[in-house]
Amino acid sequence: MMDFDVVDLGETDHPRVGETAPDFTRPLVNDEYWEDVALSTLTDEGPTLLVFYTMDGAFPGTYMWDELADRAWDDEYDVRVVGCSISTPYEHASLIEDRDMDYDLFSDPAATVADEYGVVHDLDDMTGVREHRPAVFLLDSDRTVRYAWVATEWPEFPDYDAIEDALADL
């Protein structure tokens, strides 16, 4: 049995439903290569489910990606699922290969995208050690937020059925 403390992450000033999500450019990693890509390049192609998670290998991220793979929304709905964490492109490439993932992952080691989205978490009050708190944003082709969920405690996981409802409403 795992023994850990539940941590209150507090309130956040994240993009809300109806607002335009910030654009950013970061390395986007897939199973073949990585390159700098703007989020708007993805949303211009259609709806995008942007999934923030702590880091590759951490159990909350593992659980989230397992659930997303099981639900295979990108097969059923017109949506691209993409992740974002503090992990480096090398770590992302290893994760994608090891787990045979079909999702691309943005690399944000300095957590500046997390700052822009209001989902940064200063880890254990250690100076300069930051990560993304779990969060999910469903963005339409104009980067308008159609669904938003941000963790308020650690560990906490999204309501996957609510995400699916939002996807069905696209």
Side-chain angles (χ1 to χ4, degrees):
M1 179 174 147
M2 295 180 127
D3 186 30
F4 53 83
D5 294 329
V6 173
V7 177
D8 180 19
L9 299 175
E11 293 297 315
T12 175
D13 185 22
H14 62 81
R16 308 288 179 189
V17 171
E19 296 179 352
T20 301
D23 196 13
F24 61 86
T25 300
R26 290 291 178 280
L28 184 64
V29 182
N30 63 36
D31 61 348
E32 296 178 12
Y33 61 93
W34 62 78
E35 65 180 341
D36 280 351
V37 174
L39 174 64
S40 58
T41 300
L42 304 183
T43 58
D44 285 350
E45 296 173 3
T48 302
L49 189 67
L50 179 59
V51 179
F52 288 95
Y53 65 105
T54 55
M55 67 183 79
D56 297 346
F59 91 86
T62 300
Y63 288 167
M64 287 176 72
W65 287 115
D66 284 348
E67 184 70 24
L68 293 170
D70 288 347
R71 291 184 180 248
W73 289 325
D74 52 327
D75 291 339
E76 186 172 343
Y77 299 100
D78 180 26
V79 67
R80 181 173 186 166
V81 179
V82 62
C84 186
S85 80
I86 61 168
S87 298
T88 67
Y90 295 101
E91 292 163 327
H92 280 341
S94 292
L95 177 71
I96 290 168
E97 180 180 345
D98 293 346
R99 298 185 58 96
D100 196 25
M101 288 178 65
D102 291 329
Y103 304 117
D104 297 343
L105 305 172
F106 279 110
S107 178
D108 183 35
T112 54
V113 173
D115 279 329
E116 291 175 43
Y117 276 75
V119 298
V120 72
H121 175 240
D122 293 321
L123 191 59
D124 297 329
D125 297 320
M126 293 185 287
T127 303
V129 180
R130 301 154 24 106
E131 65 184 4
H132 300 78
R133 68 169 70 188
V136 177
F137 298 93
L138 177 57
L139 311 176
D140 67 17
S141 59
D142 294 325
R143 289 193 337 274
T144 300
V145 178
R146 302 286 298 268
Y147 173 86
W149 172 84
V150 177
T152 57
E153 63 184 26
W154 186 97
E156 183 177 17
F157 299 95
D159 179 342
Y160 298 102
D161 291 337
I163 298 169
E164 191 157 355
D165 289 346
L167 288 166
D169 288 342
L170 280 177

